[in-house]
Amino acid sequence: MVFALVGLVVLALLGAVHRYVWRRFVGDTTAPGSRLRRAGTVAAFVLPLLSVGAMTSGRVGAPFWLQQVLAWPGFLWLACLLYLTLALLVGEVVRPVLLRVLARRDAARTGAESGTASGTPAETSGTPTEVPDETRPRTEKLVTSGSTGVSAPPEAVARTACDAPDPVAEPETEAAATASAPPGTTPAPALVPQPSRRLFVSRVVGGAAAAAGLATVGYGAYGVLRGPSVRRITVPLAKLPRAAHGFRIAVVSDIHIGPILGRAHTRRIVDTINATSPDLVAVVGDLVDGSVADLGSAAEPLAGLRARHGSYFVTGNHEYFSGAEQWVDHVRELGLVPLENARVEIEGFDLAGVNDIAGETEGQGPDFGRALGDRDRGRAAVLMAHQPVVIHDAVEHGVDLQLSGHTHGGQLWPGNYLAELANPTVAGLERYGDTQLFVSRGAGAWGPPVRVGAPSDITVVELASRQA
């Protein structure tokens, strides 16, 4: 019942946002019945349907090819919707300022023209001299059906050109003007209406918002498709022996192989990791968004990971949406070592891993006692746990360093502020008592293949001994 209510609220919110975006980009800038208005209205219905399809097709078991067809436009539109809306909200502040500036400019121009038209001719030797025709102030002529050209004051011309009731009305054609002129007279040129001040501002603000929003999404998508960058940090551990000083762990999380990010994405990540020549690779959950049947081949490049002490894997919450047991078996076949509430002894420290808390629904949640309960606490301990929220359990069990992901660093600004509400650390290294927590921003993206303000990365964590 609760999920149904939340779903209704989300759908209502999406509907309201789409209505607002349609109004500002389409309703305020196009003529009723025009092709642009019809196209914009169709898009306002089709794009959200594609987004809903992209989010639900995998959960309902749709064919993988259909998931791929829906994913690109559906998820990209969600990112576009976010940044177009934010840009429009900024435009709401600019809009009244522009209207005020243009109104003052038009008032000043109209006043100047009115003063020129009502001025007296220059006088020489006390005798008025008529102003020659070529220097006489000119007025526009308004042409109406069945009448000859009649001079109109500039004020009327300004009102007709700038504040026409129908801001996008079709201008009077030359043929129509000729037909309406009496026989034997020269038809006056038709006055071409200009957009109203409000229409002009709507188009300027809408165009600027569209450019800013789409450019932001384009740059964010380029960053994801280009692949993650490499970060390096040094973490001192009090219990680490001198022999393990300088031990390098390549930490990668949230790869999110799926309908959008496939085999090429996996290959880029593997190549990037191997180029760092790590001593150990830690894959900290959320490897996939789909079943082994659909994505097994896309994950195969992971078999090419190279590290002196091997590659290790723990589950993330998305593995439990995708068949965690099958994926654990598959990554084992690829040469990675799954740590399911387990621990191994590495040169100079213990490496432990716990299942993600999402596994609790399947009776496969984290078990810190099993992973860490009987170890020698005189040795340094490094824990792989997908979600940062288990840091307090890590502190309780004497862990020296926890490696996590899950947050994506917020992925899409201002999502980092929401991520801060649900996670003790969103990205980077922080200390909790005697335990340090490192949270990776991840190497992939969930949903829209876009990152803004939280670039993807692979982090080489170099352990430092205080005895060195």
Side-chain angles (χ1 to χ4, degrees):
M1 183 65 179
V2 174
F3 289 107
L5 290 176
V6 172
L8 289 175
V9 170
V10 171
L11 288 176
L13 179 62
L14 284 175
V17 172
H18 277 87
R19 169 65 181 174
Y20 169 70
V21 170
W22 176 90
R23 177 189 170 192
R24 286 309 192 198
F25 281 124
V26 181
D28 289 351
T29 62
T30 60
S34 67
R35 292 182 180 179
L36 285 176
R37 166 118 5 144
R38 288 197 296 268
T41 302
V42 170
F45 283 96
V46 172
L47 290 172
L49 290 177
L50 288 173
S51 297
V52 172
M55 291 186 290
T56 60
S57 58
R59 301 293 178 89
V60 301
F64 188 64
W65 66 265
L66 180 58
Q67 296 179 42
Q68 291 178 301
V69 168
L70 295 173
W72 272 105
F75 282 126
L76 276 177
W77 170 243
L78 288 178
C80 291
L81 180 65
L82 171 62
Y83 290 106
L84 290 175
T85 302
L86 291 176
L88 285 174
L89 292 176
V90 173
E92 298 298 344
V93 179
V94 178
R95 186 185 304 271
V97 176
L98 284 178
L99 286 170
R100 192 174 294 110
V101 169
L102 292 176
R104 290 178 178 176
R105 185 198 67 178
D106 291 346
R109 180 182 299 170
T110 301
E113 292 176 353
S114 177
T116 303
S118 61
T120 57
E123 296 183 1
T124 57
S125 303
T127 304
T129 304
E130 185 177 359
V131 179
D133 290 342
E134 61 270 14
T135 61
R136 188 183 304 277
R138 299 178 182 179
T139 59
E140 299 286 347
K141 291 187 177 183
L142 299 178
V143 179
T144 57
S145 178
S147 65
T148 59
V150 180
S151 297
E155 295 90 334
V157 176
R159 286 195 300 272
T160 303
C162 296
D163 295 312
D166 182 4
V168 288
E170 293 294 329
E172 185 176 4
T173 63
E174 184 178 353
T178 303
S180 63
T185 63
T186 301
L191 183 65
V192 179
Q194 299 297 315
S196 72
R197 188 184 303 128
R198 187 171 299 278
L199 174 62
F200 175 76
V201 170
S202 293
R203 287 176 173 174
V204 168
V205 172
L214 296 178
T216 300
V217 172
Y219 182 77
Y222 169 74
V224 171
L225 299 178
R226 177 186 55 190
S229 59
V230 176
R231 299 178 59 214
R232 298 176 185 272
I233 63 170
T234 300
V235 181
L237 300 181
K239 301 175 186 176
L240 191 72
R242 181 179 300 179
H245 179 75
F247 192 98
R248 289 167 298 144
I249 304 174
V251 181
V252 59
S253 73
D254 302 279
I255 297 174
H256 286 289
I257 304 169
I260 294 178
L261 301 175
R263 188 183 181 94
H265 173 64
T266 311
R267 171 55 60 190
R268 282 192 295 270
I269 291 172
V270 169
D271 291 343
T272 302
I273 292 174
N274 288 344
T276 67
S277 300
D279 296 307
L280 183 146
V281 177
V283 182
V284 198
D286 276 8
L287 172 65
V288 293
D289 286 309
S291 67
V292 173
D294 291 333
L295 299 173
S297 61
E300 287 177 356
L302 292 172
L305 286 171
R306 297 289 179 262
R308 187 160 57 98
H309 291 275
S311 301
Y312 294 83
F313 168 78
V314 293
T315 56
N317 54 308
H318 281 250
E319 271 71 62
Y320 293 96
F321 306 147
S322 308
E325 185 176 350
Q326 291 79 13
W327 274 112
V328 167
D329 291 338
H330 190 62
V331 298
R332 184 181 287 112
E333 293 171 358
L334 296 176
L336 283 75
V337 179
L339 293 177
E340 299 180 274
N341 298 321
R343 181 181 75 254
V344 294
E345 291 187 1
I346 305 294
E347 181 181 300
F349 65 95
D350 293 336
L351 178 69
V354 292
N355 295 343
D356 187 70
I357 56 179
E360 293 175 347
T361 59
E362 302 179 12
Q364 300 177 7
D367 188 336
F368 289 88
R370 180 180 166 189
L372 297 161
D374 59 347
R375 74 179 191 87
D376 178 5
R377 290 209 174 194
R379 287 169 57 86
V382 176
L383 174 68
M384 296 169 56
H386 178 63
Q387 298 198 37
V389 293
V390 301
I391 181 61
H392 303 295
D393 294 285
V395 172
E396 181 181 342
H397 287 83
V399 169
D400 297 277
L401 173 64
Q402 176 178 319
L403 304 175
S404 296
H406 183 65
T407 67
H408 296 208
Q411 185 168 329
L412 297 171
W413 184 91
N416 54 304
Y417 298 111
L418 296 177
E420 288 176 357
L421 299 177
N423 297 277
T425 298
V426 174
L429 183 68
E430 291 187 355
R431 178 177 289 275
Y432 294 83
D434 293 331
T435 303
Q436 297 180 79
L437 169 63
F438 174 74
V439 180
S440 168
R441 288 193 296 246
W446 180 80
V450 179
R451 281 177 173 265
V452 177
S456 58
D457 64 47
I458 294 166
T459 303
V460 177
V461 176
E462 184 172 329
L463 305 182
S465 171
R466 292 181 177 174
Q467 303 172 19

